[in-house]
Amino acid sequence: MTEIKNIGGFCDTDDTGYIINTACTRKISPAFHQVLNEMIQYYRMQLGKNLHSIYVRGSVPHGQAIYSVSDLDTLAIVNEEVDSMDLQWVEGIEQKINEKFPCINGVEFSFYLMEDVLETSTFSIIPFMLKTHSVCVYGEDLISLLPSYRADKTLANHHLINLKNQVDQAKKDLDDNYDTEDILDCCSWIMKIIVRAGLTLVMVEEKRYTRDLYPAYKLFSQYYPEKEPEMKLALQYAIEPITDTEELLHFLEQTGTWIITEAEEWLEIYNPYRVSEMELR
């Protein structure tokens, strides 16, 4: 069993509570330059004039990436509707790059319409991730055009409003599933969601946010010490997923049901009308 390490921290904030984006191209380790440049070239070659700009998010632009462990997640802003684009090339290119570069655990190409990204009257996760966790590596940088964000109820709501549906989807995907890779992916996905949901239950009080799992688990446990062992197990499953679907379904039935109940109580207080994405204040 992988040892759970104290890795990560909370986002920096300014004097008014707005999250500070500490991502920077200078922090990208030279070990990742070649793979990033290759991804940029594929974006340019495949998208042509449709490509507006490219961003990198996560541990890599924060200088916290771990060789052969971290992913390289990129976002492309495009001028045309994503649904109308031919993206059949993506899966094959991702696989090719993953096999070519041992420095990364995996790469991700993703695509978002510029018009949608710049519509920020309500909270949306992509503008949030660009503003707070990403750096532009190609094209015209849109980050300065996006609003600033606090660790408040609008952000917490994003993590909690669909929690029940996500847990239910995980149960459905795991039931009678014998595909090892699919089970591992589902396990890691839903456990990350649960750990981050735990953090967001106390976000309004704490006014702190992180994408990192360990500090999220620790802060949650300060408020819910009786649930610490269960959240620690969720963290363990997130970083070292298992294939025992019976064990996973039992966990989701027990801990998953509990955290859904807590989320519903939170929503009843802060979002009683169950607005999907709340207006930014």
Side-chain angles (χ1 to χ4, degrees):
M1 181 175 292
T2 301
E3 178 187 359
I4 296 177
K5 297 181 180 180
N6 184 355
I7 296 176
F10 290 93
C11 296
D12 293 337
T13 57
D14 64 19
D15 293 339
T16 59
Y18 287 111
I19 296 172
I20 298 172
N21 186 351
T22 58
C24 177
T25 54
R26 295 191 304 273
K27 294 181 180 179
I28 300 176
S29 168
F32 304 102
H33 286 179
Q34 187 177 355
V35 58
L36 176 57
N37 288 336
E38 187 153 326
M39 293 183 74
I40 292 171
Q41 290 307 311
Y42 275 116
Y43 271 125
R44 296 180 64 186
M45 181 172 59
Q46 294 293 336
L47 301 183
K49 294 182 179 180
N50 187 24
L51 176 63
H52 177 273
S53 48
I54 304 170
Y55 303 80
V56 182
R57 67 175 180 86
S59 61
V60 171
H62 286 87
Q64 299 170 345
I66 301 173
Y67 192 92
S68 79
V69 174
S70 296
D71 295 329
L72 181 53
D73 299 320
T74 62
L75 305 87
I77 306 303
V78 296
N79 301 306
E80 301 174 6
E81 290 285 352
V82 176
D83 290 344
S84 67
M85 295 168 54
D86 179 9
L87 299 177
Q88 296 184 33
W89 57 273
V90 173
E91 184 176 356
I93 294 300
E94 286 181 342
Q95 182 176 350
K96 179 180 179 180
I97 294 176
N98 289 339
E99 293 172 352
K100 181 177 179 180
F101 294 97
C103 59
I104 41 86
N105 181 56
V107 298
E108 179 184 49
F109 289 84
S110 59
F111 311 84
Y112 300 93
L113 179 66
M114 180 166 62
E115 182 180 343
D116 292 343
V117 170
L118 294 178
E119 170 46 58
T120 55
S121 58
T122 59
F123 182 89
S124 182
I125 193 63
I126 297 306
F128 170 79
M129 290 302 298
L130 288 174
K131 185 70 174 185
T132 61
H133 289 76
S134 306
V135 65
C136 183
V137 292
Y138 176 83
E140 180 185 356
D141 192 349
L142 295 177
I143 291 177
S144 65
L145 303 179
L146 301 174
S148 297
Y149 295 87
R150 291 187 174 103
D152 60 13
K153 66 180 183 179
T154 60
L155 174 55
N157 181 73
H158 170 80
H159 287 277
L160 298 176
I161 190 69
N162 293 312
L163 182 61
K164 183 180 186 304
N165 291 337
Q166 291 166 327
V167 172
D168 288 345
Q169 184 62 53
K171 290 179 182 178
K172 180 180 178 181
D173 291 346
L174 291 169
D175 191 32
D176 290 329
N177 191 341
Y178 301 98
D179 185 325
T180 298
E181 286 303 316
D182 193 43
I183 295 170
L184 291 173
D185 287 344
C186 182
C187 174
S188 182
W189 169 73
I190 193 60
M191 296 304 167
K192 288 178 182 178
I193 286 174
I194 288 175
V195 174
R196 288 172 179 149
L199 165 68
T200 53
L201 288 175
V202 303
M203 186 184 297
V204 172
E205 293 81 5
E206 285 289 327
K207 297 179 175 60
R208 289 195 286 173
Y209 182 72
T210 180
R211 299 286 298 174
D212 299 327
L213 299 180
Y214 184 85
Y217 142 74
K218 291 296 287 185
L219 186 57
F220 164 86
S221 299
Q222 291 178 22
Y223 282 78
Y224 298 89
E226 74 281 4
K227 292 293 180 180
E228 186 274 340
E230 294 165 66
M231 192 58 77
K232 186 175 184 179
L233 186 57
L235 174 59
Q236 187 73 58
Y237 288 152
I239 62 177
E240 189 178 24
I242 63 172
T243 58
D244 187 336
T245 55
E246 183 176 345
E247 182 175 337
L248 292 172
L249 287 168
H250 177 75
F251 181 89
L252 293 177
E253 190 61 40
Q254 299 297 317
T255 304
T257 299
W258 176 84
I259 201 167
I260 287 170
T261 301
E262 293 295 309
E264 289 299 316
E265 292 180 3
W266 186 97
L267 290 167
E268 195 61 36
I269 297 171
Y270 295 103
N271 185 12
Y273 297 106
R274 302 302 194 270
V275 177
S276 178
E277 299 294 2
M278 301 175 73
E279 289 187 6
L280 294 176
R281 295 186 296 172

